[in-house]
Amino acid sequence: MMKKIFLYSFPGIALLASIFGCTTPYNYQNNDFEDVIIVEATLTNEYKNHEVKISRTYSLEESFPQFESQAIVNVTDDLGNKYDFAETGSSYVSVDKFQAVPERQYQLHIITKNGRTYVSGTEKLTTQTQIGSVVPNVITKNGIRGVEIEVNSSDPTGTSRYYRYKYDETYKVVAPMWFSQEAVPAGNVVTLSPRTTEARTCYSDQKSNEIILTSTNDLSEDRVSNFPVKFISSKDPIIRNRYSILVKQYVQTLAAHTYYETLKEISDNGSILSQTQPGFFRGNIKSVDDSREKVIGFFEVSSYSEKRIFFNFNDLFPKTSSPEYQYYCPIVIPEGEAANFYFNNCYSTSPNSTCQGPTIVELIKTRARVFFPTDDSQKIILYTIQCGDCTSFSSNIKPSFWID
């Protein structure tokens, strides 16, 4: 039996999945590729511009999903309201802000550029349950000491039961070899000028790229207690200074939860070459034109809640050395031949001075290195740019939500 395979990315993870579940030997051929549409859409009770992502499966020879452009996308409700979405970048964003409200039935409609029509099942907003707390808990996990981000939530009505989590991380970066003056190349000479832009303190961010699920269905209470959302090693540089995490909670239906559980199982297996080979699984989106056409995706209408926390490294690890900086920035300067990597004698503030070679000028001009002073006025130290200028890999714009 030949196995048809395809690649798809949803949501934020790349998966290799089989169209047919079987245990026959893997025999990949290019002509086995099957073009399948992928839809990722979550409507919540947030008043905002909502987003729908539409793409296509891609072959092993390709490196990224193919965005489905020029589609007509809208969401309708059972009162006849229609919310149009417009193509924006690599997704579709609602033209107007709106929110899902209780008791309304919502449905997603898609017409692709080739005229094919897709529609979701009708979905209602789930119980609106708030996150109770997000707590950083210092633990040792698998022999690694670190901090576990845990979430607590409860629904006294007992009607939530199924939960999905995502998170956004933001952390402060402080360049250890920052200097108040900046080396500026001018011809064959490097001069010093006061810095005019922030380059010492920056803020980086990253989003979760995994499927995080839990259920209280087997518990006597609909209560999420100390559920681990994220574990961070005490040696991870993202918590070297100050760290913040925004935990996002989505209350799901049983059907949505089952879909994401299956998706998570495939992603954990990593490949159809594993022993567990689930067959093609459908969500709640179907083709209007051909009932046999395979469609990947789920239109979910979920109640949403979020909570943000901050902490400093010393708050949680008061007697522990802070993690190393993201880049190697040695404080002790090597001697002998190794010192040539750091020192260069061609630095001078005199306009009549010329470099022995283009090294320092080119390194500064191309932002490969950054200046740092030494006790010897005839010499300078050149660190990797990231050591003295955090804008080389992060943003110097302080987020509006940030609290020091």
Side-chain angles (χ1 to χ4, degrees):
M1 173 179 171
M2 186 66 66
K3 187 194 306 265
K4 293 186 176 181
I5 69 172
F6 55 83
L7 287 161
Y8 65 99
S9 180
F10 181 95
I13 53 177
L15 305 177
L16 182 62
S18 63
I19 293 292
F20 303 106
C22 59
T23 56
T24 56
Y26 172 70
N27 184 9
Y28 169 69
Q29 296 179 6
N30 287 340
N31 58 9
D32 290 335
F33 174 73
E34 184 163 343
D35 183 24
V36 177
I37 193 169
I38 309 161
V39 180
E40 180 185 353
T42 300
L43 181 63
T44 71
N45 55 333
E46 299 170 273
Y47 182 71
K48 68 174 188 177
N49 297 99
H50 293 272
E51 183 180 30
V52 173
K53 296 181 180 180
I54 310 173
S55 58
R56 294 273 178 181
T57 53
Y58 57 103
S59 65
L60 290 172
E61 290 82 5
E62 298 173 301
S63 58
F64 52 86
Q66 178 185 356
F67 170 61
E68 182 71 15
S69 62
Q70 302 177 43
I72 299 173
V73 180
N74 62 70
V75 170
T76 60
D77 66 20
D78 55 352
L79 293 181
N81 296 309
K82 179 182 176 184
Y83 306 96
D84 292 319
F85 286 65
E87 184 175 331
T88 304
S90 59
S91 65
Y92 294 86
V93 178
S94 62
V95 175
D96 299 312
K97 293 181 178 181
F98 72 103
Q99 63 187 139
V101 295
E103 304 307 322
R104 294 277 65 80
Q105 298 274 358
Y106 295 92
Q107 191 170 37
L108 174 67
H109 306 264
I110 299 170
I111 302 177
T112 59
K113 59 185 175 184
N114 62 3
R116 299 191 68 82
T117 301
Y118 303 88
V119 64
S120 74
T122 56
E123 298 291 331
K124 291 174 61 176
L125 182 67
T126 52
T127 305
Q128 299 183 52
T129 302
Q130 300 296 310
I131 292 179
S133 64
V134 176
V135 180
N137 186 22
V138 176
I139 65 170
T140 298
K141 189 173 186 177
N142 298 324
I144 301 173
R145 182 171 170 79
V147 54
E148 187 169 74
I149 309 300
E150 300 172 347
V151 63
N152 296 283
S153 179
S154 65
D155 174 15
T157 69
T159 56
S160 294
R161 294 296 179 184
Y162 305 101
Y163 302 84
R164 178 165 66 95
Y165 292 95
K166 298 172 71 174
Y167 57 81
D168 294 344
E169 298 174 286
T170 306
Y171 53 95
K172 189 175 185 177
V173 177
V174 180
M177 296 304 167
W178 173 88
F179 185 59
S180 59
Q181 292 182 298
E182 184 177 13
V184 180
N188 332 340
V189 178
V190 176
T191 61
L192 292 179
S193 298
R195 288 190 179 273
T196 58
T197 59
E198 176 62 63
R200 185 181 191 181
T201 302
C202 293
Y203 303 86
S204 291
D205 58 75
Q206 55 194 25
K207 299 180 182 295
S208 55
N209 60 358
E210 57 187 318
I211 300 173
I212 307 169
L213 304 170
T214 191
S215 170
T216 62
N217 201 44
D218 295 331
L219 304 178
S220 58
E221 289 184 294
D222 191 354
R223 181 182 298 276
V224 177
S225 298
N226 302 322
F227 177 70
V229 172
K230 166 83 174 183
F231 177 79
I232 310 170
S233 166
S234 61
K235 296 182 179 180
D236 194 321
I238 69 172
I239 58 172
R240 172 183 168 88
N241 296 293
R242 187 163 177 77
Y243 169 90
S244 176
I245 185 170
L246 176 68
V247 177
K248 305 175 181 182
Q249 175 179 276
Y250 300 84
V251 176
Q252 299 186 292
T253 62
L254 172 59
H257 192 78
T258 302
Y259 179 85
Y260 275 91
E261 275 191 323
T262 306
L263 195 62
K264 179 178 174 62
E265 181 181 356
I266 295 176
S267 67
D268 289 345
N269 287 331
S271 163
I272 59 170
L273 304 182
S274 61
Q275 291 299 312
T276 302
Q277 296 181 358
F280 180 85
F281 64 102
R282 296 184 181 274
N284 63 348
I285 302 172
K286 65 180 181 180
S287 168
V288 174
D289 307 295
D290 183 358
S291 60
R292 296 170 300 176
E293 181 181 352
K294 298 178 176 68
V295 180
I296 300 173
F298 203 97
F299 172 60
E300 184 177 12
V301 182
S302 296
S303 71
Y304 174 84
S305 175
E306 66 180 34
K307 189 171 287 291
R308 178 182 294 279
I309 62 168
F310 294 82
F311 62 80
N312 296 326
F313 180 82
N314 291 334
D315 294 340
L316 301 182
F317 305 96
K319 298 181 180 180
T320 305
S321 299
S322 60
E324 296 292 333
Y325 187 62
Q326 284 87 340
Y327 295 86
Y328 180 57
C329 307
I331 296 176
V332 178
I333 307 305
E335 297 180 354
E337 186 175 338
N340 291 330
F341 180 80
Y342 298 96
F343 288 97
N344 194 301
N345 288 316
C346 67
Y347 166 72
S348 175
T349 57
S350 170
N352 297 321
S353 176
T354 59
C355 289
Q356 301 294 322
T359 306
I360 187 173
V361 174
E362 291 303 317
L363 288 174
I364 296 296
K365 184 184 294 185
T366 59
R367 288 177 56 81
R369 298 286 186 270
V370 67
F371 164 86
F372 196 75
T374 70
D375 294 334
D376 187 341
S377 61
Q378 297 302 310
K379 294 183 178 180
I380 69 166
I381 177 172
L382 296 180
Y383 275 105
T384 303
I385 185 70
Q386 293 88 349
C387 295
D389 185 347
C390 60
T391 64
S392 59
F393 67 96
S394 187
S395 172
N396 60 4
I397 300 175
K398 186 177 183 178
S400 58
F401 60 78
W402 191 263
I403 302 173
D404 285 312

